[in-house]
Structures are given as C-alpha cells and as structure tokens.
Amino acid sequence: QRQANAELRDNRPVQALATFRAASEVIAARLAVDPETTERLGADGLGVRGPLLDHLLLLTDPAIAAADPAGGDARAAEAALLMQHLQTGSAAQAIQRLAVRGGDGAMRERQDLAEQRRQIDAQLAEVLAQPAAGRDLAVERDLRTRSLDLGRRLAAAEQRLLRENPAFADLGALRPVTLASLQSQLSVDEALVAYALGLGGTSVALVVRREEAALYRLSIGRRGAEEQVQRLRQSLDPTRVTTVDRVPPFAVEPAAELHRRFVAPLARSLNGVRHVMFVPDGALASVPFGVLLTRSVPRAPTTPAEHADLPWLVRSYATSHLPSLGALRALRRVAVASRADLPFLGVGDPVLQGSGGQARGELAMLARGRLADVSVVRALPRLPDTAVELRNLAAALGAGPGSLLLGADARETTVKHRDLSRYRVLAFATHALTAGELAGTTEPALVLTPPDQASGDDDGLLTAAEVADLKLDADWVILSACNTAAADGKPGAEGLSGLARAFFYAGTRALLVSHWAVASDAATLTTTTMLRTLAAEPGVRRAEALRRAQLALQRDRRNPHFAHPLFWAPFVVVGEGGSPAVADAPPLTR
C-alpha cells in the first residue's frame, strides 16, 4: 500500500493500480486459506480494508479509465470481487452457508465444529494472555488438545462436503462470486447496487444489471454518510412521539441529501428498474432506502398527513437489502428448496405485566449471570395488538387453529421443542432487545413469556445463539418487533442484527425486519397487507408486496398519521430470493 501511494503521489496511477492488484491478490489468498479471518475484518481490519478500499477507489479514477486497456466492464468485474472481500459480516457468511447446507447434516456439522473451535481458541487465547507464572498448564494442555482434535474433525468434515457437494468450494468457503454469475441471477427489471464507503471524502457504488455493470465514484465518504444518517434517524425516533398528532418533524434535508449523493448519480444505470437490491455499507445499513427523498423540498411537513405528498423513493422502486453481493446467488440457489408442509406459525403477545409507559431503561438490571432476571422480563409492557396482528397473518395465509403460540403458549421451551422446519413462514411479534439493553451480555433477544423461575432452557428470552440452534426450512421469517435490524453492539457490527444473522443460520431464506420500534397498529396493517398481496399474486416479489403495503399506509384516511415514515417505513426485506424470472408487476408510481 505504501508503494502504491507513493506511485500515486508521483502521478503514476497505472503503476499504482498494478501494485494494488498485487496486494489484493495476497489478501484474497489469505481469505481463501482462512475464511474465518473475514469475521475479524469488520472489527479491526483497517490494515486489510484500507488497501482494498484504495484499490477500489482507484478503479473509478478518470486517469485509469483513460489509460487502462481492460475497459469498463473488466474494471466492474474486478470491483465486484473486491467488494465481496470487504463485505465480510456474519450475515453474509450465514447466507452463503445456507445455500450449500440445503438441510444436509454435513454442512451443519462443519459449521458447528468451526464454532466450537473458535470458542476453544478464544479460551486458549485468554489463558495464554495470563502471566506464565500463574498460568494453569493443565487447562492450557487440555485446550490445545481439544483445539487440535476439533481441527482434525473440521478438516474431515470439509473433505466430506467437497465430495458430496462440490458447491461448498464455491460458496461454503466464501469464494467471491463472479460478476457474470451475479448478472445471470437478475431479471431485466432488477438492479443490484453495492456501496463501499471510503475513509476520506469519496466512496464507490457498483450497479449490476443483467446485461451491464457500471462503477461510480461518489463525492461523500464514511464520515459524511454517518452524519447524514444520524440526522435522518433522529427524526425517526419513536421515543419522541407523544401523540399521533405530535410526531417529530421529518428530516427532509438529509433524506434528500442521501439520495443526491448515493442514488441520483446512478440514474443512468437504474433506467427501467423496478426492484433495487441494495448492499449497504457502514451507516447506510441503518436506513431503509425507501424513506429517501428523490428531490429537495422547500420545507418539512407541519402535520403527519402532509408527509404523504413527499417524493419518497418507495414511489419509484421496490427495494430490499442484501448483506453481500454473493448473497443474491446463494439465496436464489435455495429459493425453491423448502419442503415445509405447513403455511405459518406465529409467536407473540407474551404474558407480561408492565404498563405501556414503562421505561426500557429498567432493562439495565435484566441479566443475572448467564440467565435473564425473569422478574424484570415480566415487568415489560404487554403487547396485546400483536395477537391481533398474528391472527390476521394466519388468516391471510390460510393457517389452521394450531398455527399460533400466544400468551402463555409463547414460551421458549415451546418454540425450541416444536418442529419448526414444517413451517414456510414464521412470525415473531413481541419485544426485541438489542445487545446494549442486556447488562452483562452481548446478545440480542426476543422476549417470550417468562417462566416462574429461570433455567438454562427457558428464561423468557430467545437469544440469538438459541435462534441459531433452531432448525428451519422457512421461505421467510417476519420479525415484527422493536429494533430487529439494529446493530448488535459488537465492534464493527452490521446494521443487520445478531437476531437476523441467527435466523439465516437456522435456515430461513428471507427476513422482514424493522429499523426502529414499530407501532402495533401500523405493523399489523403492513404485514397483513403484504402477505395478502403475496397470497393473491404468487408472482409478486416480497419487496414489491412491502412497497404496496407502505404506499397503502401513506394513503390510509382513517389513520392520517400513518403518512409519517415513522409508521410506514420501519420494515425492510432482507434477502430477496425467488426466481429471476418474475411475473410483471404493475407500473410504479413515479
């Protein structure tokens, strides 16, 4: 990287590009040998991320475009590979693994062995960090022996996978997907848009269409994106709502600025597109793109109902999120693989005793050791509207009377011991707690009916680790809960929460998650309208069904406050699968 930067200072961009290419080849080789290294890049990998970002930015340099004989298509293909090295979050890995697991126990065995080895190695690192004089040598030897044994078993499991499922070499080991392969997964009215936020004042966008791809240099960097996103999210804070007639004024300036910086420059490549799949980076993962404004407006609306007339991006495109470029192919390889025989299972309305105005700050005392304090869980406010929401979902999908776990039945033990692989759609309508709300633990969780006394099998919280142990064969999971798309508190955490990652690991193909606390009545209308659309028109994409539901909320005359994005915009589809050959949808409102 130092050599390449020196070549750039000497005004030798072509030589610098050759140097960056050599450095990126070394990084790619490291990742191919040790794919688990990718989990560390987001937290402390600026030393690796830096050269990849500089390489990517240089591909958009006008001097390179003029001098590079490879041409724009080759640079776009090169950028697609670089971006996949940068997109290293756990959610991306979970989807890649899902694509080759397909219900096969061999993949589950490999994943479980890898996780066990990481835990043992973490314990060993803690032991080795202690002074030699006080170190327990017996514990150290035991951990080393267990790590070596797990390593041998892991190697054997991977060899078995290579024999039984050659796709593991391509997907399970997280090898990048080629641009041509991505293009083959797209229909003519779809676009895949991936971002890489630069550490300075510029960033890169890659737009992939079925017949073409294009790179764009954007005049905003990571810090600028964070500032605009923070301003936007502050106007979507549900804790600032006092009554439905008094909601915080929407931040029209950052909503228009984010569009101007990140979407408007791509207009040429988005011509004729109906569905945009965004692969966000950094702070962009905290924004549902449909809430951006396609042009500046002279003033912010003064009443909630006036928001219906703003130029929302949701009027132009159906949008969904993917955690990585390669996730598209991974999900579409399993899009028709579900063998579940039951349409729906809904879990919600846990038995809680708190009042509606209870402060969530009381959750600071929630955790006692490894288990939750059930008295604090029980003191959370009850959510009676969630029972109505789930009943409506069940009716929309034609599910029978045994399709709901409500009230006293909405327990951890019931969920864990149920054969969840039989359900095509699962919905959880309850409180979701982010990691920061759980003192003493880093795991987010879903709140269920707490037992009289906490145990290892049931403490009233279905944590991300417990979700990952579930065995699903679901087309998708609906998380109609607070903050299920919030960052999970880990260093470098993605916008997609640990809960979402866990559900991908468990075996779902798509998620509907919320970016902020959801109003129960608005959530009910959103999810039921969406599922009714999908049931009535099987060819409609999930993202398009969500778009129609959001537009319907904006026009709800009985609830004019729904026009404010705080009510209609929290949900986003993550992991849009389905066949690339999708039935034509009605024309979009521009």
Side-chain angles (χ1 to χ4, degrees):
Q1 185 180 17
R2 285 193 294 270
Q3 178 184 338
N5 287 333
E7 291 165 341
L8 286 174
R9 287 193 296 271
D10 293 339
N11 197 27
R12 294 187 293 159
V14 175
Q15 291 87 342
L17 180 58
T19 303
F20 275 123
R21 282 170 172 161
S24 295
E25 286 181 7
V26 172
I27 294 171
R30 172 186 170 189
L31 298 178
V33 172
D34 181 16
E36 305 306 338
T37 300
T38 60
E39 294 187 351
R40 298 189 289 273
L41 292 182
D44 58 2
L46 286 181
V48 176
R49 184 178 174 88
L52 293 174
L53 271 173
D54 288 345
H55 182 176
L56 191 56
L57 285 165
L58 190 55
L59 291 175
T60 67
D61 190 304
I64 292 297
D68 187 6
D73 290 343
R75 289 197 304 279
E78 186 175 349
L81 298 179
L82 290 170
M83 280 188 163
Q84 288 175 78
H85 292 319
L86 290 168
Q87 294 158 358
T88 57
S90 299
Q93 295 185 51
I95 294 180
Q96 296 281 9
R97 291 163 179 162
L98 168 64
V100 294
R101 192 174 78 213
D104 192 324
M107 187 62 202
R108 172 72 70 169
E109 179 188 5
R110 189 267 173 193
Q111 291 174 306
D112 291 343
L113 287 170
E115 179 59 30
Q116 291 174 40
R117 190 182 189 190
R118 281 192 291 273
Q119 292 177 2
I120 293 298
D121 288 347
Q123 295 176 38
L124 180 59
E126 291 181 3
V127 170
L128 294 176
Q130 299 172 2
R135 191 180 301 165
D136 190 327
L137 297 181
V139 171
E140 180 183 341
R141 284 194 300 271
D142 177 64
L143 291 172
R144 289 184 184 276
T145 299
R146 292 166 66 186
S147 178
L148 289 171
D149 177 62
L150 286 167
R152 287 190 291 267
R153 293 167 61 191
L154 182 59
E158 290 185 352
Q159 288 301 313
R160 177 185 164 195
L161 277 171
L162 288 172
R163 290 193 303 270
E164 297 179 359
N165 192 343
F168 177 73
D170 182 39
L171 292 174
L174 303 179
R175 293 182 182 177
V177 178
T178 65
L179 178 63
S181 181
L182 290 173
Q183 290 176 304
S184 71
Q185 301 298 316
L186 295 170
S187 64
V188 294
D189 65 345
E190 288 184 309
L192 188 59
V193 177
Y195 296 101
L197 299 182
L199 302 178
T202 55
S203 297
V204 175
L206 171 66
V207 183
V208 182
R209 299 285 302 274
R210 186 173 181 86
E211 302 296 337
E212 63 178 351
L215 269 178
Y216 292 87
R217 176 179 286 233
L218 307 176
S219 59
I220 186 171
R222 180 173 294 270
R223 180 174 296 180
E226 290 172 351
E227 291 173 353
Q228 296 296 334
V229 168
Q230 185 177 21
R231 290 178 62 199
L232 179 64
R233 286 299 303 265
Q234 285 174 347
S235 71
L236 295 168
D237 181 0
T239 64
R240 298 172 61 194
V241 177
T242 54
T243 68
V244 295
D245 294 323
R246 300 184 66 182
V247 295
F250 180 67
V252 294
E253 291 182 5
E257 180 69 4
L258 285 168
H259 181 273
R260 187 175 74 84
R261 299 284 191 174
F262 287 104
V263 181
L266 320 179
R268 182 189 64 81
S269 293
L270 297 180
N271 185 39
V273 168
R274 295 175 180 272
H275 175 212
V276 183
M277 289 169 281
F278 289 103
V279 184
D281 186 29
L284 294 179
S286 298
V287 176
F289 276 73
V291 82
L292 302 185
L293 297 178
T294 58
R295 65 177 185 274
S296 297
V297 295
R299 63 174 181 83
T302 56
T303 67
E306 290 178 359
H307 290 79
D309 298 324
L310 293 179
W312 304 110
L313 184 70
V314 72
R315 297 185 185 279
S316 300
Y317 308 109
T319 64
S320 57
H321 284 197
L322 289 171
S324 73
L325 282 166
L328 174 66
R329 188 177 76 164
L331 286 167
R332 289 190 167 172
R333 288 169 75 106
V334 296
V336 296
S338 176
R339 296 184 294 272
D341 61 320
L342 296 175
F344 177 76
L345 179 69
V347 183
D349 189 21
V351 177
L352 305 169
Q353 298 174 355
S355 64
Q358 176 148 352
R360 289 173 71 89
E362 295 177 19
L363 296 176
M365 298 301 295
L366 183 60
R368 285 184 177 175
R370 292 176 175 267
L371 300 177
D373 184 338
V374 294
S375 65
V376 178
V377 176
R378 191 175 294 110
L380 286 167
R382 191 158 189 176
L383 302 168
D385 287 349
T386 61
V388 176
E389 177 183 351
L390 292 172
R391 289 191 182 99
N392 288 339
L393 291 177
L397 292 175
S403 62
L404 297 174
L405 298 176
L406 303 176
D409 293 328
R411 296 184 181 274
E412 269 195 87
T413 49
T414 309
V415 171
K416 291 176 180 177
H417 299 156
R418 193 116 170 181
D419 184 2
L420 300 181
S421 66
R422 298 189 62 192
Y423 300 96
R424 293 189 294 275
V425 177
L426 285 86
F428 290 83
T430 180
H431 295 289
L433 307 178
T434 58
E437 293 178 280
L438 300 170
T441 179
T442 60
E443 282 200 75
L446 294 170
V447 174
L448 299 178
T449 296
D452 293 333
Q453 185 173 351
S455 68
D457 199 36
D458 189 354
D459 62 358
L461 297 181
L462 187 67
T463 65
E466 291 169 321
V467 168
D469 281 336
L470 303 176
K471 305 297 187 289
L472 308 181
D473 188 14
D475 287 330
W476 65 338
V477 170
I478 299 171
L479 299 182
S480 182
C482 302
N483 303 318
T484 47
D488 65 4
K490 297 178 182 177
E494 303 165 84
L496 193 65
S497 75
L499 280 173
R501 291 200 294 267
F503 275 108
F504 277 126
Y505 183 97
T508 188
R509 293 157 186 80
L511 291 160
L512 182 69
V513 298
S514 56
H515 277 283
W516 53 82
V518 184
S520 292
D521 50 356
T524 297
L525 284 173
T526 300
T527 51
T528 53
T529 302
M530 184 179 180
L531 285 187
R532 283 171 182 157
T533 298
L534 292 170
E537 302 178 55
V540 172
R541 299 181 179 105
R542 295 181 179 94
E544 170 62 17
L546 175 61
R547 188 187 82 92
R548 295 187 196 179
Q550 291 173 328
L551 293 178
L553 256 67
Q554 293 178 20
R555 299 188 296 265
D556 190 330
R557 294 182 179 179
R558 292 174 299 179
N559 299 284
H561 57 284
F562 284 173
H564 192 289
L566 193 147
F567 297 97
W568 64 260
F571 286 112
V572 64
V573 172
V574 179
E576 174 76 67
S579 167
V582 182
D584 289 338
L588 302 188
T589 302
R590 296 267 177 190

